[in-house]
Amino acid sequence: MTDKTPTYDDWKAKADKEVKGRDLTWHTPEGIDVKPLYTSEDTEGLDPGVPGMAPFTRGPYASMYTGRPWTIRQYAGFSTAEESNAFYRRNLAAGQKGLSVAFDLATHRGYDSDHPRVVGDVGKAGVAIDTVRDMEILFDQIPLDEMSVSMTMNGAVIPVMAFYIVAAERSGVSQDKLSGTIQNDILKEFMVRNTYIYPPEPSMRIVRDIIAYTSKHMPRFNSISISGYHMHEAGATAVQELAFTIADGKEYAQRAMDAGLDIDAFAPRLSFFWGIGMNFFMEIAKMRAARHLWHDVMEGLGAQNPKSKMLRTHCQTSGVSLQEQDPYNNVIRTTIEAMAAVLGGTQSLHTNALDEAIALPTDFSARIARNTQLVIQEETGITNVADPLGGSYYIESLTDALVTEAKKMLDEVEAAGGMTEYVASGKPKAAIEQAAAAKQASVDRGETVIVGVNKYRRDKEDEIDTLDIDNHKVRQSQIARLEKVRAARDDFACKAALDALARGAAQREGNLLGLAVEAARHDATLGEISEAMEDAFGRYDTSPTPVRGVYSEAYADDDRYAQVVAGVKAVERRLGRAPKLMVAKMGQDGHDRGANVIASAFADMGFEVVSGPLFQTPEETRDMAIANEVDAIGASSLAAGHKTLIPELIGLLKDAGRADIKVIAGGVIPQKDYDFLRDAGVQGIYGPGSNVVECAADVLRLLGHNMPPAGEDLDEAAE
């Protein structure tokens, strides 16, 4: 008896009958149509190879985790160097294997803690580093010749690297013994994260000089971590994250080669950094596709060493997938994302804490995050097989689809003249913002389900303890140490070293990192080193241009959206003009996804939106709001500056006789701070998970419109 092997068509006929002909195809944001079933027919002609061999689709190393598991590298840093050092040592004692340093926003932007523009930023969302002395304290009793250190730094990468090198020297560890990674990925800053200092071209020189310096002096150190993570967090699709990140890597490699560096001398020390979200199989396939794409790019550039073609990566679970509502669900989300990173073949991993949608992690939440990885490593059996998902019809087909789609985008970048030119055109930033707005609209409409947020919402949320940083206290302690360092140094030698750095920047001579190391040896501060280069390069600035049309298209047939649009028109008739909202980003936080989504959505609903430039002071925000005669200011806060900057803005508006301008706040704001903000005069607070259409309805009510609650008829609203 010979039974015919069932085919896909046989299955489909049976499935169609069960679901009454309903289309089961999943149309992803990446433009990939995912079928409900995959068979051997889908992988005909696809050969992913084996781990450790070109094109490295199945992993960069032959043994993968069977020989050694991935490195547990938790990203952390807050307040002072002393506090961060104590936190690191506790984590290392509890099983963490590598360090990943988070710096505060003042440090990222090249300002010393005593600079007037960073009053609300010092010690928030990372550790404040002003001098080599801070760096020495940060790594106190941590053997830098044994411990791998990753540092997320791009804008002020020169002084931070210089401080790390000199701090190691002062502890008796030479440069050649240092191991770890510096992010040093400036192109993505111009697309999404915005913690840049200098314009694109001099920024690319900095990247090149760091690659050159580390290739010569620091053979164990990765000179760049090319980051898709921040694109992921800004709303990029998997294809966008893949294509733009690989294109960034190609651009850095090409620039180094143009400067005379041998590709095989530096390429083995390049590494990558991916964000891992909740689309489980897509994230696994993304990492496999990335290795394949990078292999092909490096072959095209002429690399000969197999290690040059081998993409190695760090991963971090998604921050944007974490929710303020029902926050213990975040433990589940992080676990799923960690599993995807591991099954995708990461070399190191950071798992986010459950409270990071609200505040900096506590010791309690950090322990759960770290233990998530320990449980996966020690209890699941995942480490017993190299690439356990290799050969999966779905995974291999999805990997191939991502490679195909990403190559189309890479061709577009190439046609534009490379990634520097493409970034300058604004196209990648606009594409990511378009994707982010579309994602938010899908969440708001309930098409993308988030448990506890837009489905299965609890009537009352549990309160959770969060970490609160006394920004004023931290800033005062940093200023005291700055003054002490400046008083004890040889000012003449320090100035000479800074002058040499300034000349090197202006005359395009010498290696900027080498010159900065010399300045650091004479105790130049981070702000002084940054300013020496700024004198030659200038400080880069840009104003956001929100995308239009995403929300209006997504909500074309939505009754509630129509109510809000009608409400805006009613207010417009009453005022004789459209209601005006200014979207403000105060402080040094460059994360602008939320601000851009709000600006895009409100503009589509009929508001006149004024988008303030990044990095404003409260004074600058007040002046812009008054000059533009706005009705309300939406202050976006993602880096814990809301308790200082927003109350200051409200006070300045009152002093100017414009207390009538409503101030609302959105972003990462703990529930326990809501009363404080309301007492300070904030009239609306919208945390993570807020429905943007309902936010607009609430703003209309603040502006005096009788906006009905969701579900009530439009004619119940009076002008």
Side-chain angles (χ1 to χ4, degrees):
M1 181 177 175
T2 56
D3 291 336
K4 178 191 170 191
T5 303
T7 65
Y8 177 87
D9 289 337
D10 295 329
W11 169 86
K12 190 172 185 306
K14 192 167 184 175
D16 282 347
K17 191 175 179 180
E18 290 175 358
V19 301
K20 298 180 172 56
R22 179 162 53 91
D23 184 13
L24 299 177
T25 305
W26 174 27
H27 305 285
T28 74
E30 289 76 16
I32 296 169
D33 293 338
V34 174
K35 301 189 300 181
L37 179 71
Y38 286 80
T39 70
S40 59
E41 295 174 14
D42 295 291
T43 57
E44 285 181 12
L46 299 181
D47 181 10
V50 296
M53 298 187 73
F56 305 105
T57 306
R58 299 190 65 185
Y61 305 115
S63 60
M64 290 302 290
Y65 308 144
T66 64
R68 189 181 72 177
W70 66 93
T71 300
I72 300 171
R73 190 188 300 278
Q74 292 298 90
Y75 178 58
F78 53 90
S79 75
T80 62
E82 291 92 343
E83 290 286 334
S84 294
N85 173 261
F87 186 78
Y88 294 158
R89 283 160 54 190
R90 290 195 299 274
N91 281 0
L92 292 170
Q96 186 174 310
K97 302 300 184 184
L99 291 181
S100 182
V101 183
F103 299 96
D104 75 353
L105 292 165
T107 304
H108 273 286
R109 293 272 292 148
Y111 294 116
D112 288 333
S113 296
D114 58 357
H115 196 285
R117 296 195 75 86
V118 299
V119 171
D121 296 301
V122 178
K124 296 283 192 180
V127 61
I129 298 292
D130 295 314
T131 63
V132 173
R133 181 60 189 145
D134 288 331
M135 196 73 83
E136 288 180 279
I137 295 167
L138 185 68
F139 295 123
D140 182 43
Q141 299 181 56
I142 295 172
L144 292 178
D145 52 346
E146 299 173 15
M147 184 60 62
S148 171
V149 176
S150 173
M151 294 181 288
T152 301
M153 179 53 65
N154 299 286
V157 63
I158 288 286
V160 164
M161 274 293 290
F163 290 175
Y164 172 63
I165 290 166
V166 175
E169 286 177 352
R170 291 180 180 178
S171 71
V173 178
S174 58
Q175 299 180 37
D176 62 310
K177 292 186 171 60
L178 295 172
S179 65
T181 304
I182 187 74
Q183 191 162 99
N184 193 30
D185 177 7
I186 201 63
L187 284 174
K188 68 98 174 48
E189 297 292 334
F190 295 110
M191 284 188 273
V192 289
R193 191 164 174 253
N194 302 307
T195 51
Y196 43 68
I197 300 175
Y198 315 111
E201 278 301 330
S203 295
M204 290 297 288
R205 178 187 167 189
I206 287 170
V207 172
R208 183 198 71 197
D209 280 8
I210 290 171
I211 293 172
Y213 185 95
T214 53
S215 296
K216 185 176 180 180
H217 301 288
M218 303 170 71
R220 299 174 60 200
F221 199 86
N222 298 326
S223 56
I224 190 168
S225 175
I226 304 146
S227 174
Y229 177 84
H230 299 98
M231 299 181 206
H232 173 98
E233 292 294 275
T237 66
V239 169
Q240 290 171 336
E241 184 185 356
L242 264 177
F244 296 156
T245 306
I246 295 293
D248 282 352
K250 182 180 180 181
E251 185 84 348
Y252 296 134
Q254 189 66 65
R255 290 297 185 102
M257 291 167 66
D258 292 345
L261 294 176
D262 175 10
I263 189 168
D264 287 315
F266 67 83
R269 305 311 305 173
L270 303 180
S271 68
F272 284 76
F273 176 26
W274 304 109
I276 305 296
M278 286 296 288
N279 190 343
F280 186 74
F281 293 104
M282 187 72 75
E283 298 296 353
I284 295 167
K286 178 180 78 181
M287 295 175 68
R288 295 163 64 84
R291 289 191 289 267
H292 185 118
L293 288 163
W294 185 243
H295 169 269
D296 290 355
V297 163
M298 295 308 283
E299 281 228 314
L301 291 176
Q304 299 299 314
N305 185 347
K307 290 183 177 179
S308 299
K309 309 171 193 179
M310 185 191 296
L311 185 151
R312 297 162 301 108
T313 191
H314 173 72
C315 288
Q316 181 172 338
T317 59
S318 173
V320 78
S321 71
L322 302 176
Q323 303 299 326
E324 178 186 27
Q325 296 81 8
D326 210 355
Y328 290 104
N329 288 343
N330 293 333
V331 177
I332 304 160
R333 294 184 178 104
T334 294
T335 303
I336 291 166
E337 292 167 351
M339 292 281 287
V342 169
L343 291 168
T346 191
Q347 278 61 71
S348 62
L349 177 62
H350 166 92
T351 34
N352 285 329
L354 67 95
D355 48 1
E356 286 188 60
I358 309 164
L360 290 168
T362 61
D363 275 7
F364 169 76
S365 66
R367 186 179 81 248
I368 293 172
R370 181 187 63 250
N371 288 352
T372 300
Q373 296 196 53
L374 289 172
V375 170
I376 295 172
Q377 274 191 6
E378 303 289 351
E379 298 185 26
T380 63
I382 284 174
T383 61
N384 295 334
V385 177
D387 189 30
L389 292 185
S392 157
Y393 302 140
Y394 178 31
I395 285 290
E396 300 299 357
S397 181
L398 192 55
T399 299
D400 184 63
L402 283 170
V403 168
T404 300
E405 293 303 312
K407 279 183 174 178
K408 294 176 186 175
M409 215 167 273
L410 283 165
D411 289 343
E412 187 177 323
V413 173
E414 196 68 21
M419 202 58 186
T420 303
E421 292 294 323
Y422 199 58
V423 167
S425 75
K427 288 182 179 178
K429 185 175 179 67
I432 292 170
E433 287 177 4
Q434 185 93 7
K439 174 69 180 293
Q440 186 61 48
S442 178
V443 171
D444 286 350
R445 287 177 58 82
E447 296 161 350
T448 297
V449 172
I450 301 176
V451 174
V453 176
N454 62 1
K455 198 173 183 180
Y456 313 112
R457 185 92 181 237
R458 302 183 69 191
D459 293 332
K460 188 176 186 305
E461 298 289 345
D462 294 329
E463 285 190 21
I464 62 172
D465 291 331
T466 55
L467 184 65
D468 195 17
I469 302 295
D470 186 339
N471 163 246
H472 178 75
K473 183 179 176 183
V474 173
R475 187 166 183 262
Q476 289 308 306
S477 73
Q478 286 298 119
I479 291 172
R481 186 146 59 229
L482 264 169
E483 290 172 349
K484 190 174 178 180
V485 168
R486 287 171 179 150
R489 71 190 182 185
D490 182 337
D491 277 337
F492 181 81
C494 181
K495 187 177 184 306
L498 287 169
D499 288 346
L501 173 61
R503 284 195 304 276
Q507 298 171 12
R508 302 187 180 185
E509 295 176 355
N511 184 288
L512 293 173
L513 179 53
L515 291 164
V517 167
E518 191 59 29
R521 286 175 179 143
H522 294 290
D523 289 306
T525 71
L526 177 129
E528 290 166 344
I529 292 172
S530 299
E531 191 175 349
M533 293 184 290
E534 186 181 337
D535 288 342
F537 300 153
R539 186 172 276 268
Y540 187 72
D541 197 13
T542 184
S543 293
T545 306
V547 299
R548 296 291 300 270
V550 173
Y551 265 75
S552 55
E553 183 179 341
Y555 280 86
D557 302 315
D558 186 90
D559 290 341
R560 182 57 170 171
Y561 185 85
Q563 284 185 329
V564 173
V565 170
V568 173
K569 289 178 178 174
V571 173
E572 183 174 356
R573 288 193 294 273
R574 175 162 57 81
L575 297 178
R577 57 167 175 78
K580 272 191 188 182
L581 173 74
M582 177 179 174
V583 178
K585 286 290 295 182
M586 294 183 289
Q588 298 304 306
D589 173 34
H591 294 87
D592 59 353
R593 171 181 177 161
N596 290 337
V597 164
I598 291 295
S600 298
F602 273 61
D604 278 3
M605 285 181 272
F607 284 82
E608 184 177 342
V609 176
V610 178
S611 288
L614 297 171
F615 316 121
Q616 281 191 317
T617 63
E619 290 87 354
E620 290 165 344
T621 301
R622 172 204 61 194
D623 293 345
M624 189 171 182
I626 292 172
N628 284 273
E629 299 182 337
V630 304
D631 302 298
I633 301 170
S636 172
S637 175
L638 289 146
H642 54 271
K643 291 177 73 174
T644 52
L645 299 170
I646 297 177
E648 185 178 346
L649 170 64
I650 292 169
L652 289 166
L653 288 168
K654 286 179 180 174
D655 293 344
R658 293 304 311 270
D660 58 299
I661 297 176
K662 317 292 185 185
V663 176
I664 59 179
V668 179
I669 301 173
Q671 287 273 353
K672 67 178 185 179
D673 292 345
Y674 281 21
D675 286 343
F676 172 88
L677 290 175
R678 289 188 183 110
D679 291 344
V682 176
Q683 299 195 38
I685 306 169
Y686 312 102
S690 297
N691 183 293
V692 176
V693 177
E694 290 305 320
C695 292
D698 200 46
V699 171
L700 288 175
R701 285 190 283 268
L702 288 175
L703 297 180
H705 182 66
N706 186 21
M707 191 70 206
E712 293 190 12
D713 294 334
L714 183 62
D715 59 13
E716 294 182 20
E719 290 184 28

